[in-house]
Structures are given as structure tokens and as C-alpha cells.
Amino acid sequence: MTTHTDRHENAAARYLEAWNATGPEAVAKAVAAAWTVDGGYTDPLADVRGHDGIAAVITAAHAQFPGFVFRPLGPVDGHHDTARFAWELVNEADGSAPVAGFDVVTLDDEGRIRQVLGFLDRVPPSP
């Protein structure tokens, strides 16, 4: 049974805002708004803690996929201090979405992210 709240939805929205921010200052500001100071991010390709580490992962994704944006896939599901949501990485020019996954986030009492556990469901083939 889900007890989804605005808290879960707001956390997911801030998370996607951080991933879609461009430029070092905007990324740093968005990461600070979404994560706790000691927050973490772990997926099959990265395992970092703190705002600088998270910002570096986001910046690297932008470098690898220029012109792409992260978009939600379906609703946010949550209960207690945990939320999960699916997303895809979309090419703004042609609408293709070569990468998709879902994330499970743990929130603090103020709704900021303590930890992200990311899973990749669709990735482009290796060259």
C-alpha cells in the first residue's frame, strides 16, 4: 500500500531539476536544494557522497549526453521516508530515449535526499 505524499513528489521534482540543471553554478545550487550535505548517490556507474561528488556525476552525464534531459516516467511512489520513481533520458532534438531507469531515494525529515539508489533498465549498447 502506497502513502504517496507531496513530500515524495517534491523530492523527485527537485532531484530531476538537479539532473536537468546546466552550468556549474546551477548544478551546485540544484544539488544543494535536493540533497542533504552528506547525501549520497549510488548507481551501477557511480558511488559518491556530498554535493561536489553528486554535481560531478551530473556534469559527467551532461558531457556524455549533450542535448538530453531527464523526464519522469509515471508517478512517484512513496511511503515513510522512501520514494521511488522511474525516469528516462530524452534527446530534445529527436525525442529518442536511449537510457531509462528508476531510483529509490531516502529522505530526511525536511524532505531532502539522504541517499539515492539508482537502477538502469535501458542503456545504449557499448561501442
Side-chain angles (χ1 to χ4, degrees):
M1 180 172 161
T2 296
T3 57
H4 162 79
T5 66
D6 287 343
R7 181 171 174 253
H8 300 115
E9 186 76 36
N10 291 339
R14 283 192 313 273
Y15 173 85
L16 291 172
E17 286 173 20
W19 279 95
N20 287 326
T22 56
E25 288 181 25
V27 171
K29 183 177 178 181
V31 166
W35 271 268
T36 61
V37 172
D38 62 344
Y41 177 86
T42 303
D43 72 13
L45 307 173
D47 186 11
V48 297
R49 292 209 79 67
H51 291 175
D52 290 343
I54 295 163
V57 170
I58 291 171
T59 299
H62 284 282
Q64 185 176 359
F65 295 97
F68 284 74
V69 294
F70 286 85
R71 296 219 175 112
L73 273 177
V76 176
D77 185 25
H79 62 81
H80 297 87
D81 291 334
T82 305
R84 68 178 176 167
F85 49 90
W87 51 265
E88 62 184 349
L89 186 60
V90 179
N91 182 322
E92 289 188 296
D94 66 14
S96 64
V99 182
F102 76 93
D103 293 329
V104 176
V105 300
T106 305
L107 307 175
D108 72 1
D109 291 339
E110 288 146 19
R112 290 177 65 206
I113 298 169
R114 286 184 185 176
Q115 181 65 41
V116 175
L117 299 175
F119 297 84
L120 301 174
D121 295 325
R122 182 174 62 234
V123 295
S126 298

